[in-house]
Amino acid sequence: DELLFKQPENTNFGDCPICMIPMPLDFQKYGTSSCCSKKICNGCNYANQMREAEKKLQHSCPFCRKPVPSTKKQGDKQTMKRIAANDPVAMRQKGIQQHEKGDYRSAFEYYTRAAELGDAAAQYELGRLYESGKGVEKDEGKAIHFLEEAAIGGHPNARNRLGLIEWDNGNIQRAVKH
């Protein structure tokens, strides 16, 4: 419990690798590059766009400077390269794509691989799959386990979900700690 209820110094999003400012909770204020799987804040993305426009350069990743894929097929190819390199962010992103298609079993496989590599967002997604029973047998114990792992990793939605579960179970004191 001590580890679970200890407040992390930041979220699982970490800092922008360019400006080192903590990433916002609002996912619309940053982007993830398929080439290097780095989350880049909108400020650094904007600065990169301004640099490219000023120097009439091809659009490229602000972090690794690789050209941004112009088609979905090229983006998927880059993601698969990152997955082959054991990149948990790419695995989770592929899991999200499969989840959105309704292929929960495949999503489960990608989330599991990413969670094993310590990706808190993948742990959260796994917890939600176990909670709903999509792509896997419904298991409240495993759902709580993965949500707790994600919360310890700084995932705010996992902490919120755990609080709601505790509240629904009548554990009000424990719920408000989340």
Side-chain angles (χ1 to χ4, degrees):
D1 273 3
E2 184 178 329
L3 187 58
L4 177 61
F5 292 119
K6 179 183 176 212
Q7 294 298 313
E9 291 181 24
N10 57 19
T11 70
N12 62 304
F13 302 134
D15 299 335
C16 174
I18 298 172
C19 66
M20 303 310 292
I21 293 174
M23 291 301 235
L25 293 176
D26 183 354
F27 66 89
Q28 294 178 338
K29 295 186 178 180
Y30 64 86
T32 304
S33 301
S34 63
C35 48
C36 58
S37 295
K38 298 292 184 191
K39 287 181 174 61
I40 310 295
C41 73
N42 283 357
C44 290
N45 274 323
Y46 178 73
N48 186 54
Q49 289 171 0
M50 295 303 291
R51 179 188 64 83
E52 291 168 346
E54 185 179 293
K55 296 181 180 179
K56 296 181 174 42
L57 300 172
Q58 180 183 2
H59 186 47
S60 63
C61 171
F63 184 77
C64 70
R65 302 287 192 223
K66 288 185 182 174
V68 171
S70 56
T71 66
K72 183 179 178 342
K73 187 176 181 178
Q74 288 175 336
D76 288 344
K77 186 177 178 181
Q78 283 185 334
T79 299
M80 294 312 289
K81 273 181 153 177
R82 298 299 312 154
I83 289 170
N86 262 351
D87 182 339
V89 174
M91 290 175 195
R92 176 178 26 89
Q93 293 289 24
K94 188 67 173 175
I96 290 169
Q97 287 176 355
Q98 298 305 314
H99 192 131
E100 289 172 350
K101 289 180 187 175
D103 185 357
Y104 302 115
R105 188 73 203 147
S106 181
F108 174 78
E109 298 298 328
Y110 283 110
Y111 292 151
T112 300
R113 289 176 58 198
E116 287 170 353
L117 294 170
D119 187 272
Q123 292 165 339
Y124 170 75
E125 295 296 342
L126 270 178
R128 297 295 289 170
L129 285 180
Y130 275 115
E131 192 174 20
S132 68
K134 291 181 178 176
V136 66
E137 189 174 324
K138 198 172 185 174
D139 187 328
E140 189 176 332
K142 286 184 180 179
I144 289 172
H145 167 76
F146 284 109
L147 290 171
E148 286 177 345
E149 289 293 315
I152 289 168
H155 198 284
N157 291 346
R159 187 161 298 284
N160 176 270
R161 188 71 198 122
L162 285 168
L164 291 172
I165 291 169
E166 294 291 358
W167 186 275
D168 290 345
N169 290 334
N171 301 326
I172 308 306
Q173 296 291 52
R174 193 170 165 85
V176 296
K177 287 183 179 180
H178 287 288

